[in-house]
Amino acid sequence: SLNLNNISLNISVNVNETMPNLLILNFNNNPICNLNLNQSNSIMVLHLENCSITNNHLDNQIIFSSLIHLMILNLNHNKLTTIRKKYFEKNTGISNLYLSCNLIEFIENDSFKSLIFSNLDLSLNRLKIFSNKYLYFSYFYANFNIDVRYNQLL
C-alpha cells in the first residue's frame, strides 16, 4: 500500500513478473500522473481514491484495461466529470464500482454495458439525469445496489 504518501506517481509495472500473486493494490491519497499495470492478471481490487484523477488521466495516462480479474475499482474523491463507454469496456468482471464524490455531470450511453454489478456508487456528483441507457444490457446480482444520492437529479 502506498496510502497517504502524497507523492506524485508515474507508475508502470509488470505485476505478473514482479508480484504475480498480488490481489489488492492501494494507491489512495497520492496524485497519480500515469498508471500502467501491464498485463496484471492477478489484481482483483484497485483503490485509486483521492488521487486527483481527471478525465484526461483516464483517457490517456491511466490504463487498467489489462486487469482482467478486476472486481472492485474505487475511484472515489477524484476529479472525473464524464464517464466514457471505453473506460470499463474491457473490465467485464467489475462488480463493485465506486465513483462517489467526483464532479460527474455526464455518462455516455452504455458506459457500464459490459459490467456485472452488485454495487455502483455515483453519489455526491453533479448528475442531472440518470438513465437506464447507461446500464443497457448490464447484468445485475440479485441484491444490486445503485447509489445516486446527493446529485442534481431533475
Side-chain angles (χ1 to χ4, degrees):
S1 175
L2 293 173
N3 192 28
L4 285 173
N5 283 307
N6 199 26
I7 53 175
S8 185
L9 299 173
N10 288 298
I11 301 166
S12 183
V13 178
N14 188 332
V15 175
N16 285 343
E17 290 179 13
T18 57
M19 299 168 274
N21 298 316
L22 183 67
L23 298 176
I24 300 171
L25 194 52
N26 182 348
F27 290 117
N28 287 351
N29 302 303
N30 289 290
I32 293 179
C33 298
N34 294 296
L35 177 64
N36 188 349
L37 300 169
N38 303 317
Q39 302 302 314
S40 305
N41 293 331
S42 62
I43 295 175
M44 298 177 77
V45 179
L46 179 59
H47 293 284
L48 296 170
E49 184 170 342
N50 197 29
C51 292
S52 299
I53 295 172
T54 66
N55 283 90
N56 186 52
H57 289 112
L58 286 185
D59 287 339
N60 301 305
Q61 288 97 9
I62 296 184
I63 301 168
F64 45 77
S65 61
S66 65
L67 304 179
I68 59 174
H69 296 293
L70 188 63
M71 295 175 64
I72 299 172
L73 178 59
N74 180 350
L75 290 166
N76 287 342
H77 294 276
N78 281 289
K79 299 176 182 176
L80 299 173
T81 60
T82 301
I83 300 301
R84 300 190 202 298
K85 182 179 177 179
K86 67 179 182 177
Y87 291 165
F88 310 112
E89 66 188 354
K90 294 184 181 177
N91 300 100
T92 58
I94 293 177
S95 59
N96 294 275
L97 180 58
Y98 301 97
L99 298 165
S100 179
C101 299
N102 276 280
L103 306 169
I104 300 169
E105 295 179 342
F106 180 74
I107 301 173
E108 287 182 0
N109 289 348
D110 298 335
S111 288
F112 307 121
K113 182 177 180 177
S114 63
L115 306 181
I116 302 172
F117 283 122
S118 62
N119 289 299
L120 173 60
D121 187 353
L122 289 162
S123 63
L124 294 159
N125 279 288
R126 296 180 179 173
L127 289 171
K128 292 183 179 154
I129 298 171
F130 187 80
S131 169
N132 61 355
K133 292 179 182 176
Y134 307 147
L135 304 169
Y136 186 65
F137 287 125
S138 286
Y139 297 94
F140 305 101
Y141 289 102
N143 295 322
F144 173 71
N145 295 309
I146 184 168
D147 189 348
V148 292
R149 291 176 298 153
Y150 304 109
N151 277 279
Q152 300 168 5
L153 297 174
L154 302 174

